[in-house]
């Protein structure tokens, strides 16, 4: 979405809440679709949504020597 959900939530709490709820639901579906390919990542996404918390990083950062290739 091109919307800015947290700006919308400040301007119109009901619309913002629904937008964030929809985005969270879509993220949950992505987590389920990843399960056969990336089961650990899938579990991190799904468990973070259930716990309503910010997840740890899903993938480690590449160091600068690798990312410059």
């Amino acid at each position: 979405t091109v919307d800015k959900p947290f700006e919308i939530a400040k301007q119109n709490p009901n619309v913002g809440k629904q937008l964030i709820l929809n985005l969270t639901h879509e993220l949950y579906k992505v987590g389920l679709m990843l399960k056969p390919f990336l089961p650990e990542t899938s579990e991190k996404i799904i468990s973070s949504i259930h716990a309503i918390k910010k997840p740890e990083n899903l993938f480690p950062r590449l160091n600068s020597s690798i990312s410059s290739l």
Side-chain angles (χ1 to χ4, degrees):
T1 181
V2 296
D3 296 324
K4 297 177 181 176
F6 294 101
E7 284 185 23
I8 292 172
K10 288 178 186 175
Q11 296 169 0
N12 188 335
N14 291 331
V15 173
K17 183 177 179 179
Q18 188 61 49
L19 178 60
I20 292 170
L21 182 65
N22 291 343
L23 291 171
T24 304
H25 183 70
E26 293 299 317
L27 182 59
Y28 181 81
K29 291 192 302 189
V30 168
L32 291 176
M33 289 187 277
L34 286 174
K35 198 165 202 150
F37 309 102
L38 298 166
E40 292 175 7
T41 301
S42 169
E43 186 56 38
K44 288 178 186 178
I45 292 169
I46 292 169
S47 65
S48 292
I49 291 171
H50 285 288
I52 309 174
K53 66 176 186 134
K54 181 181 176 185
E56 60 186 87
N57 289 338
L58 297 175
F59 304 102
R61 285 193 188 269
L62 296 176
N63 65 31
S64 59
S65 63
I66 294 173
S67 62
S68 63
L69 295 176

